Amino acid sequence: MTAPDRDPRAPTETADGDAAIGQQAAVWWARLRADDFTQADADALRAWCARSPAHARAWRELGQVWQALDPA
């Protein structure tokens, strides 16, 4: 997919640093909760997590943070 064809709502993946990956995970977290989240978004999220162990770890850690913040 070329840049002009890219969905502007999709997270960018330009840097491989932990901070950048964490930011990407946060963008996915927000996208997951959007009213217009689609099956294609879910597929893209799964693909992003499968792309590298760092992606999967960032997603898992973000989920743990939000779970810990969830009121009992």
Side-chain angles (χ1 to χ4, degrees):
M1 183 181 298
T2 61
D5 296 331
R6 184 174 174 79
D7 183 343
R9 298 171 299 165
T12 59
E13 297 179 36
T14 57
D16 291 326
D18 287 342
I21 291 172
Q23 289 174 341
Q24 293 168 20
V27 170
W28 276 115
W29 191 266
R31 182 74 196 121
L32 177 67
R33 279 141 184 78
D35 291 337
D36 60 345
F37 190 78
T38 65
Q39 182 61 48
D41 292 324
D43 294 342
L45 172 56
R46 277 191 288 279
W48 181 83
C49 287
R51 192 165 295 135
S52 79
H55 288 190
R57 182 177 55 253
W59 181 251
R60 186 175 54 254
E61 289 173 356
L62 186 61
Q64 290 169 346
V65 168
W66 278 102
Q67 185 176 18
L69 293 173
D70 191 26

Short mmCIF file of all heavy atoms in Angstrom, two decimals:
data_model
loop_
_atom_site.label_atom_id
_atom_site.label_comp_id
_atom_site.label_asym_id
_atom_site.label_seq_id
_atom_site.Cartn_x
_atom_site.Cartn_y
_atom_site.Cartn_z
N MET A 1 0.85 -1.16 0.00
CA MET A 1 0.00 0.00 0.00
C MET A 1 0.91 1.23 0.00
O MET A 1 1.80 1.35 0.80
CB MET A 1 -0.89 -0.03 1.24
CG MET A 1 -1.86 1.10 1.28
SD MET A 1 -2.93 1.11 2.75
CE MET A 1 -3.81 -0.41 2.60
N THR A 2 0.64 2.15 -0.86
CA THR A 2 1.42 3.38 -0.91
C THR A 2 0.87 4.37 0.09
O THR A 2 -0.26 4.26 0.54
CB THR A 2 1.41 3.99 -2.32
OG1 THR A 2 0.06 4.30 -2.65
CG2 THR A 2 1.99 3.02 -3.36
N ALA A 3 1.68 5.38 0.42
CA ALA A 3 1.27 6.36 1.43
C ALA A 3 -0.08 7.00 1.12
O ALA A 3 -0.92 7.12 2.01
CB ALA A 3 2.36 7.40 1.61
N PRO A 4 -0.34 7.45 -0.11
CA PRO A 4 -1.65 8.07 -0.37
C PRO A 4 -2.81 7.10 -0.19
O PRO A 4 -3.93 7.51 0.07
CB PRO A 4 -1.56 8.54 -1.81
CG PRO A 4 -0.11 8.64 -2.09
CD PRO A 4 0.55 7.59 -1.24
N ASP A 5 -2.56 5.80 -0.34
CA ASP A 5 -3.62 4.81 -0.19
C ASP A 5 -3.84 4.38 1.25
O ASP A 5 -4.80 3.72 1.57
CB ASP A 5 -3.28 3.55 -1.01
CG ASP A 5 -3.24 3.85 -2.49
OD1 ASP A 5 -3.95 4.77 -2.94
OD2 ASP A 5 -2.48 3.17 -3.20
N ARG A 6 -2.95 4.77 2.12
CA ARG A 6 -2.99 4.34 3.52
C ARG A 6 -4.14 5.03 4.25
O ARG A 6 -4.38 6.21 4.09
CB ARG A 6 -1.67 4.69 4.19
CG ARG A 6 -1.56 4.21 5.59
CD ARG A 6 -0.15 4.49 6.10
NE ARG A 6 -0.06 4.18 7.48
CZ ARG A 6 0.08 2.96 7.97
NH1 ARG A 6 0.17 1.95 7.16
NH2 ARG A 6 0.14 2.75 9.26
N ASP A 7 -4.82 4.27 5.08
CA ASP A 7 -5.89 4.82 5.91
C ASP A 7 -5.25 5.77 6.93
O ASP A 7 -4.42 5.34 7.72
CB ASP A 7 -6.61 3.68 6.62
CG ASP A 7 -7.79 4.14 7.46
OD1 ASP A 7 -7.88 5.35 7.77
OD2 ASP A 7 -8.60 3.28 7.81
N PRO A 8 -5.63 7.04 6.94
CA PRO A 8 -5.01 7.99 7.87
C PRO A 8 -5.29 7.69 9.33
O PRO A 8 -4.61 8.18 10.20
CB PRO A 8 -5.60 9.34 7.46
CG PRO A 8 -6.85 9.01 6.74
CD PRO A 8 -6.65 7.66 6.11
N ARG A 9 -6.30 6.86 9.61
CA ARG A 9 -6.60 6.49 11.00
C ARG A 9 -5.71 5.36 11.49
O ARG A 9 -5.65 5.10 12.68
CB ARG A 9 -8.05 6.06 11.12
CG ARG A 9 -9.04 7.15 10.77
CD ARG A 9 -10.43 6.59 10.69
NE ARG A 9 -10.44 5.57 9.63
CZ ARG A 9 -11.40 4.67 9.46
NH1 ARG A 9 -12.42 4.64 10.26
NH2 ARG A 9 -11.34 3.79 8.49
N ALA A 10 -5.03 4.68 10.57
CA ALA A 10 -4.21 3.54 10.95
C ALA A 10 -2.94 4.01 11.64
O ALA A 10 -2.38 5.05 11.31
CB ALA A 10 -3.86 2.73 9.70
N PRO A 11 -2.49 3.23 12.63
CA PRO A 11 -1.25 3.59 13.31
C PRO A 11 -0.07 3.54 12.35
O PRO A 11 -0.01 2.71 11.46
CB PRO A 11 -1.09 2.51 14.38
CG PRO A 11 -2.38 1.81 14.44
CD PRO A 11 -3.11 2.05 13.17
N THR A 12 0.87 4.44 12.55
CA THR A 12 2.07 4.42 11.73
C THR A 12 3.09 3.50 12.35
O THR A 12 3.10 3.28 13.55
CB THR A 12 2.67 5.84 11.59
OG1 THR A 12 2.97 6.31 12.90
CG2 THR A 12 1.70 6.78 10.90
N GLU A 13 3.95 2.96 11.51
CA GLU A 13 4.97 2.04 11.98
C GLU A 13 6.30 2.44 11.36
O GLU A 13 6.84 1.74 10.53
CB GLU A 13 4.59 0.62 11.60
CG GLU A 13 3.31 0.18 12.28
CD GLU A 13 2.90 -1.21 11.90
OE1 GLU A 13 3.77 -2.08 11.72
OE2 GLU A 13 1.70 -1.43 11.76
N THR A 14 6.84 3.56 11.77
CA THR A 14 8.06 4.05 11.17
C THR A 14 9.29 3.78 12.02
O THR A 14 10.38 3.71 11.51
CB THR A 14 7.95 5.55 10.90
OG1 THR A 14 7.66 6.22 12.13
CG2 THR A 14 6.86 5.85 9.88
N ALA A 15 9.14 3.66 13.30
CA ALA A 15 10.29 3.45 14.19
C ALA A 15 10.12 2.14 14.93
O ALA A 15 9.02 1.70 15.20
CB ALA A 15 10.39 4.60 15.18
N ASP A 16 11.26 1.52 15.27
CA ASP A 16 11.21 0.23 15.94
C ASP A 16 11.52 0.33 17.43
O ASP A 16 11.55 -0.67 18.11
CB ASP A 16 12.18 -0.75 15.28
CG ASP A 16 11.72 -1.16 13.89
OD1 ASP A 16 10.51 -1.25 13.68
OD2 ASP A 16 12.58 -1.37 13.02
N GLY A 17 11.76 1.53 17.94
CA GLY A 17 12.08 1.69 19.36
C GLY A 17 10.91 1.32 20.24
O GLY A 17 9.75 1.35 19.82
N ASP A 18 11.22 0.96 21.47
CA ASP A 18 10.16 0.58 22.42
C ASP A 18 9.13 1.68 22.61
O ASP A 18 7.93 1.40 22.68
CB ASP A 18 10.76 0.21 23.77
CG ASP A 18 11.48 -1.13 23.74
OD1 ASP A 18 11.24 -1.93 22.81
OD2 ASP A 18 12.28 -1.37 24.66
N ALA A 19 9.58 2.93 22.69
CA ALA A 19 8.64 4.04 22.88
C ALA A 19 7.70 4.15 21.69
O ALA A 19 6.49 4.34 21.86
CB ALA A 19 9.39 5.35 23.10
N ALA A 20 8.24 4.03 20.49
CA ALA A 20 7.41 4.13 19.29
C ALA A 20 6.42 2.97 19.22
O ALA A 20 5.25 3.16 18.87
CB ALA A 20 8.29 4.16 18.04
N ILE A 21 6.87 1.78 19.56
CA ILE A 21 5.98 0.62 19.55
C ILE A 21 4.90 0.78 20.61
O ILE A 21 3.73 0.45 20.38
CB ILE A 21 6.78 -0.68 19.72
CG1 ILE A 21 7.62 -0.93 18.46
CG2 ILE A 21 5.86 -1.87 19.98
CD1 ILE A 21 8.61 -2.07 18.57
N GLY A 22 5.27 1.31 21.76
CA GLY A 22 4.27 1.57 22.80
C GLY A 22 3.24 2.58 22.34
O GLY A 22 2.04 2.43 22.61
N GLN A 23 3.68 3.59 21.62
CA GLN A 23 2.74 4.58 21.08
C GLN A 23 1.83 3.95 20.04
O GLN A 23 0.64 4.25 19.98
CB GLN A 23 3.50 5.76 20.48
CG GLN A 23 4.17 6.62 21.51
CD GLN A 23 5.05 7.70 20.91
OE1 GLN A 23 5.45 7.64 19.76
NE2 GLN A 23 5.34 8.72 21.70
N GLN A 24 2.38 3.07 19.22
CA GLN A 24 1.56 2.37 18.23
C GLN A 24 0.50 1.51 18.92
O GLN A 24 -0.67 1.49 18.50
CB GLN A 24 2.44 1.51 17.33
CG GLN A 24 3.36 2.31 16.44
CD GLN A 24 4.41 1.45 15.78
OE1 GLN A 24 4.28 0.24 15.68
NE2 GLN A 24 5.48 2.08 15.33
N ALA A 25 0.90 0.83 19.99
CA ALA A 25 -0.06 0.01 20.73
C ALA A 25 -1.17 0.89 21.30
O ALA A 25 -2.34 0.52 21.27
CB ALA A 25 0.66 -0.76 21.85
N ALA A 26 -0.80 2.06 21.80
CA ALA A 26 -1.81 2.98 22.35
C ALA A 26 -2.78 3.45 21.27
O ALA A 26 -3.99 3.58 21.52
CB ALA A 26 -1.13 4.18 23.01
N VAL A 27 -2.27 3.68 20.07
CA VAL A 27 -3.14 4.07 18.96
C VAL A 27 -4.10 2.92 18.64
O VAL A 27 -5.29 3.14 18.42
CB VAL A 27 -2.31 4.49 17.72
CG1 VAL A 27 -3.20 4.64 16.49
CG2 VAL A 27 -1.57 5.77 18.00
N TRP A 28 -3.58 1.70 18.63
CA TRP A 28 -4.45 0.55 18.39
C TRP A 28 -5.49 0.42 19.50
O TRP A 28 -6.65 0.09 19.24
CB TRP A 28 -3.64 -0.74 18.30
CG TRP A 28 -3.09 -0.99 16.93
CD1 TRP A 28 -1.79 -1.02 16.56
CD2 TRP A 28 -3.85 -1.24 15.74
NE1 TRP A 28 -1.69 -1.27 15.21
CE2 TRP A 28 -2.95 -1.41 14.69
CE3 TRP A 28 -5.21 -1.32 15.47
CZ2 TRP A 28 -3.36 -1.67 13.39
CZ3 TRP A 28 -5.63 -1.58 14.17
CH2 TRP A 28 -4.70 -1.75 13.15
N TRP A 29 -5.10 0.66 20.75
CA TRP A 29 -6.04 0.57 21.89
C TRP A 29 -7.20 1.55 21.68
O TRP A 29 -8.36 1.20 21.86
CB TRP A 29 -5.29 0.85 23.18
CG TRP A 29 -6.11 0.53 24.39
CD1 TRP A 29 -6.88 1.39 25.11
CD2 TRP A 29 -6.23 -0.73 25.01
NE1 TRP A 29 -7.47 0.73 26.15
CE2 TRP A 29 -7.10 -0.58 26.13
CE3 TRP A 29 -5.70 -2.00 24.75
CZ2 TRP A 29 -7.44 -1.64 26.95
CZ3 TRP A 29 -6.04 -3.05 25.59
CH2 TRP A 29 -6.91 -2.86 26.67
N ALA A 30 -6.85 2.78 21.30
CA ALA A 30 -7.89 3.79 21.05
C ALA A 30 -8.76 3.39 19.87
O ALA A 30 -9.98 3.55 19.89
CB ALA A 30 -7.24 5.16 20.81
N ARG A 31 -8.12 2.85 18.82
CA ARG A 31 -8.86 2.44 17.64
C ARG A 31 -9.84 1.32 17.97
O ARG A 31 -10.98 1.30 17.50
CB ARG A 31 -7.87 1.99 16.55
CG ARG A 31 -8.50 1.59 15.26
CD ARG A 31 -9.00 2.81 14.49
NE ARG A 31 -9.92 2.39 13.46
CZ ARG A 31 -11.17 2.79 13.36
NH1 ARG A 31 -11.64 3.70 14.18
NH2 ARG A 31 -11.95 2.35 12.42
N LEU A 32 -9.41 0.40 18.82
CA LEU A 32 -10.25 -0.73 19.22
C LEU A 32 -11.53 -0.26 19.87
O LEU A 32 -12.58 -0.88 19.73
CB LEU A 32 -9.46 -1.63 20.18
CG LEU A 32 -10.18 -2.83 20.78
CD1 LEU A 32 -10.51 -3.85 19.69
CD2 LEU A 32 -9.33 -3.47 21.86
N ARG A 33 -11.48 0.85 20.56
CA ARG A 33 -12.64 1.37 21.26
C ARG A 33 -13.48 2.36 20.45
O ARG A 33 -14.47 2.87 20.94
CB ARG A 33 -12.20 2.00 22.58
CG ARG A 33 -12.00 0.92 23.60
CD ARG A 33 -10.84 1.13 24.50
NE ARG A 33 -10.68 -0.01 25.39
CZ ARG A 33 -10.14 -1.17 25.03
NH1 ARG A 33 -9.70 -1.34 23.81
NH2 ARG A 33 -10.03 -2.17 25.88
N ALA A 34 -13.09 2.60 19.23
CA ALA A 34 -13.83 3.53 18.38
C ALA A 34 -15.16 2.91 17.94
O ALA A 34 -15.27 1.69 17.78
CB ALA A 34 -13.01 3.91 17.15
N ASP A 35 -16.14 3.74 17.74
CA ASP A 35 -17.47 3.27 17.31
C ASP A 35 -17.44 2.62 15.94
O ASP A 35 -18.29 1.78 15.64
CB ASP A 35 -18.47 4.43 17.29
CG ASP A 35 -18.81 4.92 18.68
OD1 ASP A 35 -18.64 4.16 19.66
OD2 ASP A 35 -19.24 6.08 18.80
N ASP A 36 -16.47 3.01 15.11
CA ASP A 36 -16.43 2.49 13.75
C ASP A 36 -15.34 1.41 13.55
O ASP A 36 -14.91 1.15 12.44
CB ASP A 36 -16.25 3.62 12.74
CG ASP A 36 -14.97 4.41 12.95
OD1 ASP A 36 -14.34 4.29 14.02
OD2 ASP A 36 -14.59 5.16 12.03
N PHE A 37 -14.93 0.75 14.64
CA PHE A 37 -13.96 -0.34 14.56
C PHE A 37 -14.56 -1.47 13.75
O PHE A 37 -15.69 -1.88 13.98
CB PHE A 37 -13.59 -0.82 15.97
CG PHE A 37 -12.44 -1.78 16.01
CD1 PHE A 37 -11.14 -1.32 15.89
CD2 PHE A 37 -12.66 -3.14 16.17
CE1 PHE A 37 -10.07 -2.20 15.94
CE2 PHE A 37 -11.59 -4.02 16.22
CZ PHE A 37 -10.30 -3.56 16.10
N THR A 38 -13.82 -1.97 12.77
CA THR A 38 -14.34 -2.98 11.85
C THR A 38 -13.59 -4.30 11.97
O THR A 38 -12.55 -4.39 12.64
CB THR A 38 -14.20 -2.49 10.40
OG1 THR A 38 -12.80 -2.39 10.09
CG2 THR A 38 -14.89 -1.15 10.19
N GLN A 39 -14.11 -5.30 11.30
CA GLN A 39 -13.41 -6.59 11.24
C GLN A 39 -12.05 -6.42 10.56
O GLN A 39 -11.07 -7.04 10.97
CB GLN A 39 -14.25 -7.63 10.48
CG GLN A 39 -13.60 -8.99 10.44
CD GLN A 39 -13.38 -9.59 11.82
OE1 GLN A 39 -14.30 -9.60 12.64
NE2 GLN A 39 -12.19 -10.09 12.10
N ALA A 40 -11.97 -5.55 9.57
CA ALA A 40 -10.69 -5.28 8.91
C ALA A 40 -9.69 -4.67 9.89
O ALA A 40 -8.50 -4.99 9.87
CB ALA A 40 -10.89 -4.35 7.71
N ASP A 41 -10.18 -3.80 10.78
CA ASP A 41 -9.33 -3.24 11.83
C ASP A 41 -8.84 -4.35 12.76
O ASP A 41 -7.66 -4.38 13.14
CB ASP A 41 -10.08 -2.18 12.65
CG ASP A 41 -10.40 -0.93 11.86
OD1 ASP A 41 -9.59 -0.53 11.01
OD2 ASP A 41 -11.48 -0.36 12.12
N ALA A 42 -9.72 -5.25 13.14
CA ALA A 42 -9.35 -6.35 14.02
C ALA A 42 -8.28 -7.22 13.36
O ALA A 42 -7.31 -7.63 14.00
CB ALA A 42 -10.58 -7.18 14.38
N ASP A 43 -8.46 -7.49 12.07
CA ASP A 43 -7.47 -8.27 11.33
C ASP A 43 -6.13 -7.55 11.29
O ASP A 43 -5.07 -8.17 11.46
CB ASP A 43 -7.96 -8.56 9.92
CG ASP A 43 -9.18 -9.46 9.88
OD1 ASP A 43 -9.47 -10.14 10.89
OD2 ASP A 43 -9.88 -9.46 8.84
N ALA A 44 -6.17 -6.24 11.07
CA ALA A 44 -4.94 -5.45 11.02
C ALA A 44 -4.25 -5.42 12.38
O ALA A 44 -3.02 -5.49 12.47
CB ALA A 44 -5.24 -4.03 10.52
N LEU A 45 -5.03 -5.34 13.45
CA LEU A 45 -4.46 -5.36 14.79
C LEU A 45 -3.78 -6.70 15.05
O LEU A 45 -2.66 -6.75 15.56
CB LEU A 45 -5.54 -5.10 15.85
CG LEU A 45 -5.12 -5.29 17.30
CD1 LEU A 45 -3.91 -4.43 17.67
CD2 LEU A 45 -6.30 -4.98 18.22
N ARG A 46 -4.44 -7.79 14.69
CA ARG A 46 -3.83 -9.11 14.87
C ARG A 46 -2.54 -9.23 14.07
O ARG A 46 -1.54 -9.76 14.56
CB ARG A 46 -4.81 -10.22 14.48
CG ARG A 46 -5.78 -10.57 15.58
CD ARG A 46 -6.56 -11.83 15.27
NE ARG A 46 -7.55 -11.62 14.22
CZ ARG A 46 -8.74 -11.08 14.42
NH1 ARG A 46 -9.09 -10.69 15.62
NH2 ARG A 46 -9.58 -10.93 13.43
N ALA A 47 -2.55 -8.70 12.85
CA ALA A 47 -1.34 -8.74 12.02
C ALA A 47 -0.23 -7.90 12.64
O ALA A 47 0.94 -8.29 12.64
CB ALA A 47 -1.66 -8.24 10.61
N TRP A 48 -0.58 -6.75 13.21
CA TRP A 48 0.41 -5.89 13.85
C TRP A 48 1.03 -6.63 15.04
O TRP A 48 2.24 -6.62 15.22
CB TRP A 48 -0.23 -4.57 14.29
CG TRP A 48 0.74 -3.64 14.94
CD1 TRP A 48 1.60 -2.79 14.31
CD2 TRP A 48 0.96 -3.47 16.35
NE1 TRP A 48 2.34 -2.10 15.25
CE2 TRP A 48 1.98 -2.50 16.49
CE3 TRP A 48 0.41 -4.04 17.48
CZ2 TRP A 48 2.44 -2.09 17.74
CZ3 TRP A 48 0.87 -3.64 18.72
CH2 TRP A 48 1.88 -2.67 18.84
N CYS A 49 0.22 -7.26 15.85
CA CYS A 49 0.73 -8.00 17.00
C CYS A 49 1.62 -9.16 16.57
O CYS A 49 2.61 -9.47 17.24
CB CYS A 49 -0.42 -8.53 17.86
SG CYS A 49 -1.27 -7.25 18.81
N ALA A 50 1.29 -9.79 15.47
CA ALA A 50 2.06 -10.94 14.98
C ALA A 50 3.36 -10.52 14.28
O ALA A 50 4.23 -11.36 14.07
CB ALA A 50 1.20 -11.77 14.03
N ARG A 51 3.47 -9.25 13.94
CA ARG A 51 4.62 -8.77 13.18
C ARG A 51 5.92 -8.94 13.94
O ARG A 51 6.96 -9.19 13.34
CB ARG A 51 4.42 -7.32 12.77
CG ARG A 51 5.41 -6.85 11.74
CD ARG A 51 4.99 -5.56 11.08
NE ARG A 51 3.77 -5.78 10.32
CZ ARG A 51 2.72 -4.97 10.33
NH1 ARG A 51 2.72 -3.87 11.05
NH2 ARG A 51 1.66 -5.25 9.62
N SER A 52 5.89 -8.79 15.26
CA SER A 52 7.12 -8.96 16.05
C SER A 52 6.76 -9.25 17.50
O SER A 52 5.69 -8.85 17.97
CB SER A 52 7.99 -7.71 15.96
OG SER A 52 7.52 -6.70 16.82
N PRO A 53 7.69 -9.90 18.21
CA PRO A 53 7.45 -10.12 19.64
C PRO A 53 7.31 -8.80 20.41
O PRO A 53 6.55 -8.74 21.38
CB PRO A 53 8.70 -10.89 20.10
CG PRO A 53 9.21 -11.54 18.85
CD PRO A 53 8.88 -10.59 17.73
N ALA A 54 8.00 -7.76 19.98
CA ALA A 54 7.90 -6.46 20.66
C ALA A 54 6.50 -5.89 20.52
O ALA A 54 5.96 -5.29 21.46
CB ALA A 54 8.94 -5.49 20.10
N HIS A 55 5.88 -6.07 19.37
CA HIS A 55 4.51 -5.59 19.17
C HIS A 55 3.56 -6.35 20.08
O HIS A 55 2.72 -5.74 20.76
CB HIS A 55 4.08 -5.78 17.71
CG HIS A 55 4.73 -4.84 16.76
ND1 HIS A 55 4.31 -4.73 15.46
CD2 HIS A 55 5.77 -3.98 16.89
CE1 HIS A 55 5.06 -3.84 14.83
NE2 HIS A 55 5.96 -3.37 15.68
N ALA A 56 3.68 -7.67 20.10
CA ALA A 56 2.80 -8.49 20.94
C ALA A 56 2.99 -8.13 22.42
O ALA A 56 2.01 -8.03 23.17
CB ALA A 56 3.08 -9.97 20.71
N ARG A 57 4.24 -7.93 22.83
CA ARG A 57 4.52 -7.57 24.22
C ARG A 57 3.91 -6.22 24.58
O ARG A 57 3.29 -6.06 25.63
CB ARG A 57 6.02 -7.57 24.48
CG ARG A 57 6.39 -7.27 25.91
CD ARG A 57 7.90 -7.33 26.18
NE ARG A 57 8.66 -6.46 25.29
CZ ARG A 57 9.42 -6.88 24.26
NH1 ARG A 57 9.53 -8.17 23.99
NH2 ARG A 57 10.08 -6.02 23.51
N ALA A 58 4.06 -5.24 23.70
CA ALA A 58 3.51 -3.90 23.95
C ALA A 58 1.99 -3.97 24.07
O ALA A 58 1.41 -3.33 24.96
CB ALA A 58 3.92 -2.93 22.85
N TRP A 59 1.35 -4.74 23.22
CA TRP A 59 -0.11 -4.87 23.27
C TRP A 59 -0.54 -5.55 24.58
O TRP A 59 -1.46 -5.10 25.25
CB TRP A 59 -0.61 -5.66 22.07
CG TRP A 59 -2.10 -5.79 22.06
CD1 TRP A 59 -2.81 -6.92 22.28
CD2 TRP A 59 -3.05 -4.75 21.84
NE1 TRP A 59 -4.16 -6.64 22.21
CE2 TRP A 59 -4.33 -5.31 21.94
CE3 TRP A 59 -2.94 -3.39 21.57
CZ2 TRP A 59 -5.49 -4.57 21.78
CZ3 TRP A 59 -4.11 -2.65 21.41
CH2 TRP A 59 -5.35 -3.24 21.52
N ARG A 60 0.16 -6.60 24.95
CA ARG A 60 -0.16 -7.33 26.19
C ARG A 60 0.05 -6.43 27.41
O ARG A 60 -0.81 -6.37 28.30
CB ARG A 60 0.72 -8.58 26.28
CG ARG A 60 0.41 -9.49 27.42
CD ARG A 60 1.24 -10.78 27.38
NE ARG A 60 2.68 -10.53 27.28
CZ ARG A 60 3.41 -10.71 26.17
NH1 ARG A 60 2.85 -11.15 25.06
NH2 ARG A 60 4.71 -10.47 26.17
N GLU A 61 1.15 -5.70 27.44
CA GLU A 61 1.44 -4.81 28.57
C GLU A 61 0.42 -3.69 28.67
O GLU A 61 0.00 -3.32 29.77
CB GLU A 61 2.86 -4.26 28.46
CG GLU A 61 3.92 -5.31 28.72
CD GLU A 61 5.33 -4.83 28.45
OE1 GLU A 61 5.52 -3.68 27.98
OE2 GLU A 61 6.27 -5.60 28.69
N LEU A 62 0.02 -3.14 27.54
CA LEU A 62 -0.99 -2.08 27.56
C LEU A 62 -2.31 -2.61 28.10
O LEU A 62 -2.97 -1.96 28.92
CB LEU A 62 -1.17 -1.49 26.16
CG LEU A 62 -2.09 -0.30 26.06
CD1 LEU A 62 -1.57 0.87 26.89
CD2 LEU A 62 -2.24 0.12 24.61
N GLY A 63 -2.67 -3.80 27.69
CA GLY A 63 -3.89 -4.43 28.21
C GLY A 63 -3.83 -4.64 29.71
O GLY A 63 -4.82 -4.44 30.43
N GLN A 64 -2.65 -5.03 30.21
CA GLN A 64 -2.49 -5.23 31.65
C GLN A 64 -2.63 -3.92 32.41
O GLN A 64 -3.22 -3.90 33.50
CB GLN A 64 -1.13 -5.88 31.92
CG GLN A 64 -1.05 -7.32 31.45
CD GLN A 64 0.36 -7.88 31.48
OE1 GLN A 64 1.34 -7.16 31.63
NE2 GLN A 64 0.46 -9.19 31.34
N VAL A 65 -2.09 -2.86 31.86
CA VAL A 65 -2.22 -1.55 32.51
C VAL A 65 -3.68 -1.16 32.60
O VAL A 65 -4.17 -0.77 33.67
CB VAL A 65 -1.41 -0.47 31.76
CG1 VAL A 65 -1.76 0.93 32.24
CG2 VAL A 65 0.09 -0.72 31.93
N TRP A 66 -4.39 -1.26 31.49
CA TRP A 66 -5.80 -0.86 31.51
C TRP A 66 -6.63 -1.77 32.41
O TRP A 66 -7.55 -1.31 33.08
CB TRP A 66 -6.37 -0.84 30.08
CG TRP A 66 -5.99 0.44 29.41
CD1 TRP A 66 -5.01 0.64 28.49
CD2 TRP A 66 -6.57 1.73 29.65
NE1 TRP A 66 -4.95 1.96 28.14
CE2 TRP A 66 -5.90 2.65 28.82
CE3 TRP A 66 -7.60 2.19 30.46
CZ2 TRP A 66 -6.22 4.00 28.80
CZ3 TRP A 66 -7.91 3.54 30.44
CH2 TRP A 66 -7.23 4.43 29.62
N GLN A 67 -6.29 -3.04 32.45
CA GLN A 67 -7.02 -3.96 33.33
C GLN A 67 -6.78 -3.57 34.79
O GLN A 67 -7.71 -3.60 35.60
CB GLN A 67 -6.58 -5.38 33.07
CG GLN A 67 -7.37 -6.40 33.86
CD GLN A 67 -6.97 -7.82 33.51
OE1 GLN A 67 -5.90 -8.07 32.95
NE2 GLN A 67 -7.82 -8.76 33.85
N ALA A 68 -5.56 -3.19 35.12
CA ALA A 68 -5.25 -2.78 36.49
C ALA A 68 -5.98 -1.50 36.87
O ALA A 68 -6.31 -1.28 38.03
CB ALA A 68 -3.74 -2.60 36.66
N LEU A 69 -6.23 -0.64 35.89
CA LEU A 69 -6.92 0.62 36.14
C LEU A 69 -8.43 0.48 36.17
O LEU A 69 -9.13 1.38 36.64
CB LEU A 69 -6.54 1.65 35.08
CG LEU A 69 -5.09 2.11 35.08
CD1 LEU A 69 -4.81 3.00 33.87
CD2 LEU A 69 -4.77 2.85 36.37
N ASP A 70 -8.94 -0.65 35.69
CA ASP A 70 -10.39 -0.88 35.63
C ASP A 70 -10.95 -0.93 37.05
O ASP A 70 -10.45 -1.68 37.89
CB ASP A 70 -10.67 -2.18 34.90
CG ASP A 70 -12.12 -2.36 34.57
OD1 ASP A 70 -12.84 -1.36 34.43
OD2 ASP A 70 -12.55 -3.52 34.43
N PRO A 71 -11.96 -0.12 37.32
CA PRO A 71 -12.53 -0.16 38.68
C PRO A 71 -13.12 -1.53 39.00
O PRO A 71 -13.69 -2.18 38.14
CB PRO A 71 -13.61 0.92 38.65
CG PRO A 71 -13.76 1.36 37.27
CD PRO A 71 -12.63 0.81 36.46
N ALA A 72 -12.95 -1.91 40.24
CA ALA A 72 -13.44 -3.25 40.67
C ALA A 72 -14.95 -3.32 40.68
O ALA A 72 -15.66 -2.41 40.86
CB ALA A 72 -12.90 -3.56 42.04
#
